[in-house]
Amino acid sequence: MIKLEILVIQEDIRLCILRTVLATILCCLSLLTLKLCTSFFFQREMVAFGKKLKERQIQEWQGYYINYKLMKKKVRQYAQQIEVGTQDRRHVLKDFSRMLDNQIEKIVLFLLEQQGLLSSRIAKLNELQQPDISEIFHLQEAYREVGRDLLKLLVFIEINATGLRKILKKFDKRFGYRFTDYYVKTRANHPYSQLQQVFKHVGLGAVVGAISRNLHELQEHQGSYLSIFDHPALPFQDPVVDSMKAAVDRLSHSTNFLNFLAQHALIMQEELPTSEEPVDDQRYHFMSLLLNLANTFLYMVNTYIIVPTADDYSMSLGAAATVCGIVIGSMAVAQVFSSVYFSAWSNKSYFKPLVFSSIVLFIGNAMYALAYDFNSIAILLIGRLFCGLGSARAVNRRYISDCVPLKLRMKASAGFVSASALGMAFGPALGGLLQTNFKLYKLTFNQETLPGWVMSLAWLIYLVWLWISFREPYRDTEKSNTAQESTAEPVENDALEKGLKQPLLLNSEDTQEIEDGDGEFDGSDEATEESRGPATSIGSAYRLLTPSVKVQLLIYFMLKYAMEVLLSESSVVTTYYFGWSTSSVAIFLACLGITVLPVNIVVGSYISNMFEDRQILLASEIMVCIGILLSFHIVSYTVPQYVCSGLILFVSAEVLEGVNLSLLSRVMSSRLSRGTYNGGLLSTEAGTLARVVADGTITLAGYLGESKLLNVTLLPSLVICVASIVATCFTYNSLY
C-alpha cells in the first residue's frame, strides 16, 4: 500500500515537472515572438482629424463647425501656463468648460435654425392638396431635395459630435484629469442640455419621418390610403430615405440585429462619415470572403469539439481529469503569440497565412489523435499547441476590414460573428456524436481520438478549397511601386534639402506651426507622421490606451474568463455531481452555443434601441455576477441550479461582449484602427489570455480535489467581475 502511494506521488511529481517545463518553454516562446514581431508594422498614410474636418466641411456652413484648431491651441496654452505656474487647475477647467459651452451653443443654434428651415419647406410642400399625376414626379423630387439637405445636416452633426469627443479625449490625455466625466455628467443630464441636441439629434427624427411618409404616400398615390405609420412593415425603398435612416442610425448609435452582430467583430470604421466607396473588383472577391468565414467556423469547431471528451482523454493517458484544463487551454496559450505574427503577416498577404494556418491545424489535430496510440500526454499537448499556432482569426478580421466594400462590411462582420457562434455550438454537438470505437491499421478511432481525425480531414479539404478558390487581393502599394522607383531620387534629394534647412530643435513658434497644420501634436517627442501613424509595438499600443479603453479590455477579459471556466470544466463538474455522460455534456454545451444568435436578435433589434450602450453594459455585468453567484455549491447541488446559472452566465456574457466591443471601438484611439497592433488584436489578446488563465486555474484547482473544483474556479471569476463593475462605474460618464 505504501509502495502504491509512493508510485502515485512520483507520477504526480513527474506530471508537475512536465507541466512546469512546458509552461516555461511557452512563456519563452511568447516573449521571443513578441520581441521579433515588434519589428513588423504596417505603415499606412493617415490623415489627421483636423485636416479631415476641414476637407469635409460644407463651405457655406464653415463658421458653424466646432473650432477644433482653436480648441487644440487652447489645450497647448493651458499646458504651458500650468507648467510655468501662471494658471491653476480650477481656472483651466472653468475656462475650457465655458469655451466648450460656447462651441456647443453655436452648433445647436445653427442646427435649430436649419431644422426650422427644413420644416418650413416640408410644410409648404404639404399645402399642395391632391396633386395631378403629372405633378407627382416634381413633388417627389422636391421632397428628395429636402431629404438631401437634411442628410447634409446629419453629417454636420456627426462631424461636430466626433470633434467634441476627440477634443475631450485630448484634454484628458494631456492633463490627466477626468474632465470628460465631469463635463458629460453636468451637461448631458441637465434638463436644458444642449449636449443632448448634438449627440441625440433631438427633433430631427420627426423631419425624417415627415419626408418618408410623404414620399411613400406620393408613391402609392393612385387609389391607396395606406400609411407607413399604419403599416410600418410595408416595404418602401427610396435612396434618399435609406441614406437618411442610415445617417440617423449611425449618429444615434441605434442598431439592429445585423449591426449588433457586427459589433462583436470589432472591425473599426472611419471616425468621420464618408461618401460610399465604389466596389473595387480587384480587392473584393466573394469566394475569398467565404473562405475566411469558413476558416473562422472551422477554428471555433476545432476549439470546442474536444470539450466533452477532454477529461476522459486525459485519464486514458494516465493523467487526472482536471488536466483537461491544460489540454483545452494549450490551444489558447499558443494563440497568444500566433495572433501577433498573423496580424503582422496579413500586412503583406492573406493567402499565405491561411495556407500556413490550414497546414499547422492539420498537423496539430493529427498529433492530438495519435497521442492515444502513443500513450503520450506530451504529444497530446503539443498537438493542441500546434492548433493554437494556426489561429488565423486576426487575418479573417483584417480581410473584412481591408478588402470588403463599406456597404457590405457590416454584413461581412455579422457573418464573422455568426460563423464563430455556429462553430461554438456545432463543435460540442459533433464531439458528442462521435461515439464509435474501432481500429484501422493499428490506429484507434474512438470518442477521444475521432475529434482529432475529423478535424484533420476537415482542414485538409479546406486547404484544397483554399488553394483552388482564394484570390489574393490587389494592394495599392503594388500599383505605386513603379512610380515610387522612378521618383525615388528626386524625392529623396528634396527631403534631404528640406532636412538640412530644418533646425534640430523646434522653438515654440515652429511647434505652433506644426500644430496649426495637419498634424495632431500632443506633446510627445515623436514626429508628427509617427504620432498619426499606427502603433508599431505592444508598448506604443499600450500607451494609447485611455482609462476607458483599459476598463473595456478588463471587461472583455472578465467575460471570456467566466465563459471559459463554465465551458471547460463542464464535463468534469457534471460527471462528478450528476454523473452525466459525454452525450449529455455535448447537448448542454450545444444548447448554450445555440442561444447566441437568438439572444443577439432580441438585444440587437429591441433592447439596444431602448437603452444606451453603457446602460446595457452595466446591466449585463450585474447579470454575469448574478450568474456566477448562483453557480456556487453551498449546501446541495442540483441539475436545475447548474443549468439555470450556466444559462444566465453565458447569455449575459454574450450580450456583454457585443456592447463591450461596440464601446471599445468608440473610445479607442483611431491610431489603433490600422497596423499590426490594432484594436482587434488587443481585444483578441485580452480574450486569449483570459482563456489561458481560466484553463490554468482549472488544472491547478484540480489538485485540491474535484469536490472543490467548482467553487475554487468561480471565486476568481467573481472577484474580476466585481472589479469590472466598480471600474465601469468610475468611467461610466466617459462612455458617451
Side-chain angles (χ1 to χ4, degrees), residues 73-198:
K73 282 183 178 179
K74 291 297 292 185
V75 170
R76 186 184 67 251
Q77 289 174 6
Y78 292 144
Q80 293 172 349
Q81 291 169 354
I82 290 177
E83 185 177 353
V84 298
T86 58
Q87 290 287 2
D88 59 0
R89 177 179 180 273
R90 181 177 296 181
H91 176 81
V92 167
L93 292 177
K94 183 178 179 181
D95 192 51
F96 193 66
S97 297
R98 185 170 59 250
M99 181 179 295
L100 274 176
D101 290 339
N102 291 336
Q103 291 289 318
I104 292 172
E105 184 176 276
K106 173 185 68 175
I107 296 167
V108 169
L109 292 177
F110 177 75
L111 168 63
L112 294 175
E113 178 187 352
Q114 293 299 314
Q115 184 177 324
L117 293 175
L118 292 174
S119 301
S120 299
R121 289 167 62 184
I122 294 173
K124 289 180 180 178
L125 293 174
N126 290 344
E127 292 174 359
L128 300 175
Q129 298 292 332
Q130 296 182 347
D132 297 334
I133 299 298
S134 59
E135 297 177 353
I136 289 179
F137 174 77
H138 298 290
L139 195 55
Q140 284 177 326
E141 284 303 310
Y143 277 114
R144 290 192 182 102
E145 187 61 33
V146 177
R148 294 186 190 100
D149 290 341
L150 175 60
L151 188 59
K152 292 180 182 178
L153 192 59
L154 290 170
V155 173
F156 167 83
I157 301 170
E158 186 170 2
I159 289 175
N160 283 293
T162 305
L164 287 172
R165 288 194 186 99
K166 287 185 72 67
I167 199 64
L168 285 168
K169 186 190 298 184
K170 185 177 289 290
F171 187 89
D172 283 349
K173 180 181 177 182
R174 175 64 70 92
F175 299 105
Y177 298 159
R178 293 177 58 197
F179 177 73
T180 301
D181 181 66
Y182 160 77
Y183 191 80
V184 172
K185 183 187 298 183
T186 54
R187 268 63 174 178
N189 300 325
H190 195 276
Y192 305 129
S193 172
Q194 293 180 328
L195 194 62
Q196 288 282 1
Q197 289 279 354
V198 178

Side-chain angles (χ1 to χ4, degrees), residues 305-306 362 365-366 368-369 448-457:
I305 192 173
I306 72 162
F362 170 77
N365 282 288
Y368 179 85
E448 296 160 6
T449 62
L450 273 172
W453 292 122
V454 169
M455 292 312 303
S456 290
L457 179 61

Side-chain angles (χ1 to χ4, degrees), residues 332-593:
V333 171
Q335 189 182 343
V336 169
F337 57 92
S338 70
S339 298
V340 180
Y341 69 70
F342 270 116
S343 182
W345 201 350
S346 64
N347 293 329
K348 299 180 180 180
S349 174
Y350 298 101
F351 176 68
K352 293 177 182 177
L354 291 176
V355 170
F356 176 78
S357 167
S358 306
I359 294 172
V360 171
L361 282 159
F362 170 77
I363 296 172
N365 282 288
M367 293 180 69
Y368 179 85
L370 289 170
Y372 187 90
D373 293 306
F374 282 96
N375 194 29
S376 172
I377 190 74
I379 294 178
L380 181 76
L381 293 174
I382 293 172
R384 288 293 287 178
L385 285 173
F386 265 74
C387 291
L389 291 173
S391 172
R393 287 173 66 82
V395 180
N396 305 145
R397 272 197 181 105
R398 187 68 174 273
Y399 184 88
I400 294 173
S401 176
D402 291 353
C403 303
V404 177
L406 188 60
K407 67 178 182 179
L408 300 176
R409 198 170 298 159
M410 190 65 71
K411 294 180 180 179
S413 302
F416 175 85
V417 176
S418 300
S420 299
L422 291 173
M424 183 187 296
F426 187 73
L430 181 59
L433 293 174
L434 302 175
Q435 298 296 313
T436 187
N437 189 352
F438 63 94
K439 277 202 169 189
L440 184 65
Y441 297 109
K442 297 183 180 180
L443 297 177
T444 304
F445 295 85
N446 57 24
Q447 67 174 9
E448 296 160 6
T449 62
L450 273 172
W453 292 122
V454 169
M455 292 312 303
S456 290
L457 179 61
W459 285 112
L460 184 61
I461 295 172
Y462 175 82
L463 179 61
V464 175
W465 181 25
L466 178 72
W467 196 272
I468 294 172
S469 303
F470 191 86
R471 189 174 75 187
E472 185 72 70
Y474 172 82
R475 292 179 179 271
D476 296 335
T477 53
E478 296 173 4
K479 182 178 179 180
S480 59
N481 278 345
T482 307
Q484 286 179 354
E485 289 174 5
S486 62
T487 60
E489 189 174 350
V491 170
E492 190 173 337
N493 292 338
D494 185 51
L496 178 61
E497 184 178 349
K498 289 183 178 179
L500 291 174
K501 295 178 181 178
Q502 181 74 25
L504 293 178
L505 296 175
L506 299 177
N507 57 30
S508 59
E509 294 179 0
D510 297 327
T511 306
Q512 182 174 349
E513 288 177 7
I514 291 176
E515 192 165 345
D516 290 349
D518 300 333
E520 283 191 0
F521 183 80
D522 59 0
S524 66
D525 293 329
E526 299 174 340
T528 53
E529 284 297 326
E530 276 187 34
S531 66
R532 299 200 304 264
T536 58
S537 67
I538 292 290
S540 62
Y542 180 80
R543 286 192 293 271
L544 293 174
L545 302 183
T546 61
S548 299
V549 176
K550 290 177 182 177
V551 170
Q552 296 308 307
L553 289 175
L554 172 64
I555 294 171
Y556 193 69
F557 179 93
M558 178 272 294
L559 69 92
K560 286 297 181 183
Y561 181 93
M563 290 174 69
E564 188 70 13
V565 166
L566 172 66
L567 298 175
S568 296
E569 71 177 12
S570 58
S571 182
V572 179
V573 169
T574 54
T575 301
Y576 176 79
Y577 285 105
F578 318 127
W580 281 9
S581 64
T582 300
S583 299
S584 300
V585 177
I587 292 171
F588 171 68
L589 295 177
C591 290
L592 287 181

Side-chain angles (χ1 to χ4, degrees), residues 200-263:
K200 298 298 181 184
H201 59 88
V202 180
L204 286 177
V207 182
V208 175
I211 297 172
S212 302
R213 181 186 66 82
N214 284 286
L215 281 173
H216 180 268
E217 291 184 354
L218 287 172
Q219 181 174 324
E220 302 292 337
H221 181 71
Q222 296 178 347
S224 175
Y225 295 96
L226 296 178
S227 169
I228 60 171
F229 299 116
D230 298 325
H231 299 274
L234 284 175
F236 173 60
Q237 295 182 345
D238 187 282
V240 174
V241 174
D242 291 342
S243 298
M244 286 190 303
K245 289 181 178 178
V248 169
D249 289 342
R250 187 174 63 245
L251 179 60
S252 63
H253 300 295
S254 63
T255 185
N256 52 29
F257 171 53
L258 188 67
N259 294 348
F260 189 78
L261 270 184
Q263 290 169 1

